[in-house]
Amino acid sequence: MSTFSISIGGRDYAVSLVSRTGDLLVLSVNGKEHCVSVAALPFRRASREGQGAPLSSTETEVRAPMPGIVSAVKVSAGERVEAGQTLLVIEAMKMENPIRSLRSGTIERVAVSLGAEVQGGSLLLLFMP
């Protein structure tokens, strides 16, 4: 994880990206995690077939930010979660990538299981609206 030093209004901050789910980011700022939303142009990652997989998440959907294997599922349907809580873990390129909740709410459905192979943009779970 890369850490960047930024200065805002004369104050210095150490910022690093903890996780990303679509356009929702978990950033560590001076050691404290913050959930933020970023606006970006639509982005598609090319697959072998030339078809892209959308990488965005909505308010009720959590989608895979990268291809990999689900190495841990830490929540179940009906469970109440808090923003920042780890929902599941995707192993990609021998690195564990925790997928954290960017909102508080109740899980409606977990769409993947332990050991499942996912592509970037694959649906991981749904929150109740």
Side-chain angles (χ1 to χ4, degrees):
M1 172 167 49
S2 297
T3 300
F4 299 90
S5 179
I6 64 170
S7 181
I8 300 173
R11 294 193 63 193
D12 293 328
Y13 300 90
V15 180
S16 57
L17 177 64
V18 175
S19 67
R20 178 179 181 166
T21 304
D23 46 348
L24 299 172
L25 308 176
V26 176
L27 299 175
S28 174
V29 179
N30 290 346
K32 184 175 178 189
E33 290 188 3
H34 299 273
C35 297
V36 298
S37 176
V38 295
L41 297 173
F43 176 77
R44 296 176 84 76
R45 178 173 289 151
S47 68
R48 281 181 267 194
E49 297 80 28
Q51 305 245 337
L55 296 181
S56 64
S57 295
T58 66
E59 207 171 291
T60 58
E61 295 179 344
V62 176
R63 295 190 172 269
M66 80 280 288
I69 304 292
V70 177
S71 61
V73 178
K74 299 191 175 263
V75 295
S76 58
E79 185 175 340
R80 175 93 181 143
V81 299
E82 298 300 320
Q85 181 177 336
T86 299
L87 304 171
L88 51 91
V89 178
I90 295 177
E91 185 177 324
M93 297 173 41
K94 298 185 181 183
M95 291 183 63
E96 290 191 343
N97 302 281
I99 307 302
R100 292 184 170 86
S101 180
L102 297 168
R103 61 171 277 203
S104 297
T106 303
I107 304 297
E108 180 176 326
R109 177 171 68 93
V110 178
V112 296
S113 59
L114 184 64
E117 185 175 336
V118 296
Q119 299 302 313
S122 297
L123 179 66
L124 300 174
L125 62 85
L126 291 171
F127 277 93
M128 290 184 179

